[in-house]
Amino acid sequence: MMPAERRLPLSFVLDVLEGRAQHPGVLYVQKQCSNLPSELPQLLPDLESHVPWASEALGKMPDAVNFWLGEAAAVTSLHKDHYENLYCVVSGEKHFLFHPPSDRPFIPYELYTPATYQLTEEGTFKVVDEEAMEKVPWIPLDPLAPDLARYPSYSQAQALRCTVRAGEMLYLPALWFHHVQQSQGCIAVNFWYDMEYDLKYSYFQLLDSLTKASGLD
């Protein structure tokens, strides 16, 4: 499900987050794709262009630098990324729930028709299915309230939890599953480094294929 995208002045977004204005839906600046340098270049002098120790360790510069700002109601569902992620909280808190890649056999996937939220003239939202597009695999389970009657194998997964506070940085390895919550008005910046498609990736692909072949998915 893709969000409804809107272009709003950042000052208005701050007014909504601080209760001085209203706007339908849940506001979350989370476009990604290196939105910080492309949409908020005025902020670039306030931070480093990369994380020096991470760039040295990984042998590359980040592929993307992203800015995040949103409401506490903005929750990111359980998923994984093909990036080494350095996540820096500037203000507020981020609450992460993790699963290592080795938990893949216990994490269900189902196929869904892609869809997008659209804002109507009345200020409500409607879901528009993208029928022409192929179905996509996604995790149907809420790790905070898992339906173990429907997905009993998830009980064998061992979730880890971490709160990242202002001034702290989290290293989130590529292919780790994560679910994210945040405090109201949390501000964060993250650096995405492209992962190496090496033996680690091959091991995960093998585990993923065995999970599907065994019918555990």
Side-chain angles (χ1 to χ4, degrees):
M1 181 72 69
M2 298 299 293
E5 292 190 3
R6 287 157 280 171
R7 294 191 66 86
L8 300 170
L10 188 57
S11 59
F12 177 74
V13 175
L14 293 173
D15 284 343
V16 172
L17 295 179
E18 295 174 358
R20 295 189 297 269
Q22 292 185 337
H23 197 272
V26 177
L27 292 185
Y28 196 17
V29 181
Q30 53 102 8
K31 191 175 180 180
Q32 305 171 42
C33 300
S34 220
N35 68 333
L36 194 149
S38 63
E39 296 192 350
L40 297 166
Q42 301 90 336
L43 300 180
L44 291 177
D46 294 332
L47 74 158
E48 299 285 346
S49 60
H50 67 122
V51 182
W53 62 264
S55 300
E56 181 177 355
L58 297 170
K60 64 184 73 174
M61 296 293 285
D63 269 14
V65 183
N66 304 308
F67 177 86
W68 309 78
L69 168 65
E71 300 182 64
V75 177
T76 304
S77 63
L78 190 63
H79 70 289
K80 68 181 188 309
D81 297 312
H82 291 75
Y83 287 102
E84 309 293 347
N85 190 348
L86 277 297
Y87 204 98
C88 314
V89 174
V90 178
S91 176
E93 296 180 347
K94 287 276 184 174
H95 308 287
F96 289 85
L97 179 149
F98 306 106
H99 284 288
S102 54
D103 273 353
R104 170 64 185 94
F106 315 124
I107 295 176
Y109 273 84
E110 293 182 3
L111 291 175
Y112 293 93
T113 299
T116 303
Y117 280 113
Q118 288 189 3
L119 182 62
T120 68
E121 294 182 358
E122 294 76 26
T124 60
F125 290 90
K126 64 178 180 179
V127 175
V128 179
D129 288 338
E130 306 289 348
E131 297 287 358
M133 297 179 64
E134 292 185 5
K135 291 188 175 184
V136 294
W138 201 256
I139 299 170
L141 176 138
D142 178 0
L144 302 182
D147 183 350
L148 296 181
R150 185 174 180 182
Y151 307 108
S153 62
Y154 183 72
S155 62
Q156 301 179 64
Q158 298 295 318
L160 305 172
R161 289 174 170 80
C162 173
T163 294
V164 186
R165 298 178 174 86
E168 296 179 340
M169 178 188 297
L170 167 72
Y171 167 50
L172 175 57
L175 302 179
W176 276 61
F177 299 93
H178 51 288
H179 174 280
V180 192
Q181 298 173 285
Q182 63 187 352
S183 61
Q184 181 73 9
C186 179
I187 300 172
V189 172
N190 83 308
F191 299 82
W192 266 343
Y193 291 80
D194 195 15
M195 69 172 287
E196 294 292 334
Y197 292 83
D198 52 12
L199 193 58
K200 177 179 68 174
Y201 177 72
S202 299
Y203 279 146
F204 180 81
Q205 289 297 96
L206 174 62
L207 183 61
D208 186 59
S209 297
L210 290 173
T211 299
K212 294 173 182 176
S214 63
L216 291 174
D217 212 359

